[in-house]
Amino acid sequence: MLVICLLIAIAAWLFMALNNKYVYTAKTVLKYENIPQKKAFHPLQSDTVDLQVEGTGWQLLFARLRIRPQSISISLEKLNNRNFILFSEQLYHVNRQLETSQKIISVKPDTLYFDFSQKKVKRVPVKLVSRINFMKQYGVSDPIEITPDYVTISGPEQELEKIKEWRTDSLKLNDIQHTTKTMVGMEQSKMKNVSIFPASAEVRIPVDEFTEKVLEVPVKVINNRDYYSIKLYPRKVKITFLVALSKYHLVNEEFIEAVVDINEWKELNHGRLSVKIMRFPDFCKMLQIAPAKLDFIIEK
């Protein structure tokens, strides 16, 4: 009974203690809103600040265990007239973003400083990030279309110079067997002072059923500057590939160029020459070259 009473007393004391008010520190990440439209800004400090929060012991306990703290938004409207932001002027706005039982007393640092430059505008191509799986015997029959294929970015000139393209969010599609249109978002800017427009694009994926086709293609010799004649055996190779049904009759041997390099014998002393494909349709998929190596006879 003594032990039970002791445990009840400890539980009651712990409950009352955790219900009391305490001041504790919580780290949080800043999000900017009301960004100046005609200025490109660069924060001169980290986007993580320490909040001095008044809350219950329960909140203190969970704040200590929190792995990814809640972010807060601050207004940059004052940057139109000066180069710093005071948290003390926005405590009311910040407190409205937290739980009603919590209250921010102060922020460290209280002042955020910014560096300004003239805002520049630049257009860069969109790079699609995708992982697309097709049903068996189906695939992309034409280049994937992205609309728009360029985005407009704005920000400080030194930041824009580093950006050569803009990636999309990862597009994941499975078991595709028909031409597909979908929307994909642009990757969020990792730089708070760089903005992007538009925020999404339309992606069209032309899909067709593929079938196997075999063509006999003549083989050419390249880098022959020293010999009168080089005879290949055989003179043609069989190229086996997959082609979309809609383009089956369009693809012939003129679309494919096969070569062997005589330097493979001169410099590497290979007894047979490897067949290399120098030209091949983008909308086809190579399966096999037969034979892959050729015998040859040189006439000086």
Side-chain angles (χ1 to χ4, degrees), residues 150-165:
Y150 278 79
V151 292
T152 301
I153 55 176
S154 59
E157 185 174 5
Q158 63 270 23
E159 297 289 354
L160 298 190
E161 288 177 353
K162 306 173 187 176
I163 303 173
K164 306 302 180 185
E165 61 184 17

Side-chain angles (χ1 to χ4, degrees), residues 26-235:
K27 288 187 177 295
T28 191
V29 178
L30 300 178
K31 288 185 177 180
Y32 300 135
E33 57 183 26
N34 300 325
I35 296 173
Q37 297 299 312
K38 297 182 180 180
K39 293 182 178 181
F41 67 91
H42 176 69
L44 298 180
Q45 58 279 310
S46 169
D47 60 356
T48 301
V49 295
D50 291 331
L51 303 179
Q52 299 297 311
V53 184
E54 183 183 75
T56 64
W58 295 102
Q59 292 163 339
L60 172 60
L61 174 63
F62 288 112
R64 295 295 187 193
L65 297 177
R66 188 185 308 166
I67 299 174
R68 302 184 69 179
Q70 176 187 5
S71 61
I72 60 171
S73 298
I74 62 168
S75 173
L76 301 186
E77 185 177 3
K78 295 288 186 179
L79 293 183
N80 289 306
N81 304 313
R82 63 193 190 193
N83 67 341
F84 62 92
I85 294 293
L86 293 175
F87 269 108
S88 54
E89 297 177 342
Q90 300 193 37
L91 279 182
Y92 174 76
H93 171 69
V94 172
N95 273 307
R96 292 182 61 184
Q97 302 174 46
L98 302 182
E99 299 176 7
T100 54
S101 57
Q102 290 178 313
K103 180 182 179 181
I104 296 176
I105 300 174
S106 62
V107 181
K108 294 182 180 180
D110 181 63
T111 307
L112 301 179
Y113 293 95
F114 296 83
D115 183 30
F116 292 100
S117 61
Q118 185 177 359
K119 180 173 285 191
K120 298 290 184 180
V121 177
K122 179 180 179 180
R123 293 178 76 240
V124 294
V126 175
K127 179 179 176 59
L128 177 64
V129 179
S130 63
R131 191 174 66 192
I132 304 173
N133 297 316
F134 299 90
M135 293 286 286
K136 188 177 180 180
Q137 290 189 286
Y138 286 84
V140 176
S141 58
D142 278 305
I144 295 176
E145 301 173 8
I146 305 175
T147 307
D149 55 354
Y150 278 79
V151 292
T152 301
I153 55 176
S154 59
E157 185 174 5
Q158 63 270 23
E159 297 289 354
L160 298 190
E161 288 177 353
K162 306 173 187 176
I163 303 173
K164 306 302 180 185
E165 61 184 17
W166 200 275
R167 295 160 60 94
T168 67
D169 292 334
S170 181
L171 176 63
K172 298 178 182 178
L173 298 172
N174 294 312
D175 299 331
I176 304 300
Q177 58 179 330
H178 301 291
T179 296
T180 302
K181 280 187 178 181
T182 186
M183 298 297 294
V184 61
M186 297 297 170
E187 187 177 62
Q188 290 290 326
S189 174
K190 296 181 177 63
M191 297 166 284
K192 296 181 182 293
N193 52 352
V194 174
S195 58
I196 174 178
F197 180 84
S200 61
E202 182 183 79
V203 178
R204 180 180 181 274
I205 307 168
V207 178
D208 199 349
E209 185 176 358
F210 280 69
T211 188
E212 189 175 293
K213 186 170 185 175
V214 180
L215 289 175
E216 281 195 338
V217 178
V219 182
K220 300 177 182 178
V221 179
I222 60 174
N223 294 323
N224 178 26
R225 293 178 292 270
D226 303 321
Y227 307 107
Y228 173 73
S229 175
I230 299 176
K231 295 182 179 181
L232 302 176
Y233 298 95
R235 296 181 180 179

